[in-house]
Amino acid sequence: MWEARPDPLLRLGATSSAVAGLREIIAKEEPLGQALTRVAHAAARAVPDADLVSITVLSEQVWRTVARTADDAVPLDREQYESDRGPSLESARLRRPVRAQIGRERDRWPEFDTSAARAGVRAYLSVPLLVEVAESVQLLGSLNIYSHNAGAFDPFDEGLTNLYSVAAGQAIAAARRWQAARESVAQLERALETRAEIDQAKGALMAIHGCTADEAFARLVEQSQRHNIRVHTLARRFLTELGSRAASD
């Protein structure tokens, strides 16, 4: 016998609180992985009977789980990736919520159904995760919720979770932008460091051989090609050797 779902107003309040919590993700500068984990845990608090929550993403045509509230969700997701079918993949591919009890869709997803039943999962709800990129909506993946209660997740839960996923998509997009900016800064810093080492090596070669800057750089390039070593790596080694010689003199 199914248990009655919690009062709709209580469920609406829980979802509203979860959505409000996403504002912190948008405002806070943190790596994308941390943001995704926070989205998953917030979803678990937003939906009654959400025992396991995971986030599936499609990256370079490969499905993978990037966040979860517990490791028990990983085998359930992996079964779908390996068989290339299941509620989380269907939700992402069709861009619509997928909700059902274990056993009722066995003909469609036999591998997932067996794995879920073995893990004690009795109901599931997956909703697509979409993000806005350059004024277009792109698929990120799906938000997957598993429950040990067969009576979990009714149409109202589905609607609230779908609403939550919209807000979550905005938070994830913000985290992606911050991470992209951080990576760009890190790349620039590495490039500047590399350039500085090359310039120092060139200056040392000019002083040692009495050559021009172009001739010094040509020497570095020639040695780089001969030994199959990148120019900046060669420059760093050269500077290290000079430092060691100076210290021993």
Side-chain angles (χ1 to χ4, degrees), residues 54-203:
S54 69
I55 294 179
T56 291
V57 301
L58 178 62
S59 177
E60 298 181 351
Q61 302 307 308
V62 176
W63 299 101
R64 58 193 181 94
T65 300
V66 295
R68 69 267 189 186
T69 56
D71 290 340
D72 291 346
V74 175
L76 297 173
D77 291 344
R78 186 187 302 120
E79 189 66 66
Q80 299 177 70
Y81 308 154
E82 292 176 352
S83 63
D84 197 35
R85 56 183 175 181
S88 64
L89 303 192
E90 181 165 312
S91 177
R93 286 167 172 162
L94 300 182
R95 300 194 179 193
R96 65 171 178 79
V98 174
R99 170 180 56 87
Q101 278 184 287
I102 295 300
R104 293 197 171 188
E105 301 292 344
R106 182 170 179 77
D107 291 342
R108 296 168 63 189
W109 311 313
E111 300 88 357
F112 167 73
D113 195 278
T114 299
S115 178
R118 189 185 302 120
V121 171
R122 296 292 177 264
Y124 54 82
L125 169 61
S126 292
V127 297
L129 272 176
L130 306 173
V131 296
E132 291 188 8
V133 179
E135 299 184 356
S136 66
V137 178
Q138 296 183 6
L139 173 69
L140 175 67
S142 61
L143 175 68
N144 316 304
I145 306 177
Y146 304 108
S147 178
H148 298 144
N149 176 14
F153 316 140
D154 59 14
F156 191 69
D157 292 311
E158 180 181 310
L160 290 178
T161 305
N162 203 39
L163 178 63
Y164 172 80
S165 72
V166 173
Q170 295 177 349
I172 293 170
R176 290 176 70 177
R177 287 193 296 270
W178 177 83
Q179 179 157 308
R182 183 182 183 185
E183 291 173 352
S184 295
V185 170
Q187 290 174 358
L188 179 59
E189 290 175 342
R190 288 193 294 270
L192 291 174
E193 180 181 354
T194 297
R195 180 59 183 269
E197 290 174 336
I198 293 175
D199 286 344
Q200 290 175 36
K202 284 167 54 180

Side-chain angles (χ1 to χ4, degrees), residues 203-241:
L205 287 172
M206 290 168 63
I208 294 171
H209 299 287
C211 59
T212 66
D214 288 342
E215 291 170 340
F217 185 68
R219 284 175 177 266
L220 287 174
V221 171
E222 188 273 330
Q223 289 295 317
S224 170
Q225 294 174 344
R226 176 182 297 179
H227 299 288
N228 194 27
I229 302 174
R230 292 183 176 180
V231 173
H232 71 83
T233 302
L234 183 67
R236 182 180 300 144
R237 290 182 181 180
F238 175 60
L239 292 172
T240 300
E241 291 175 1

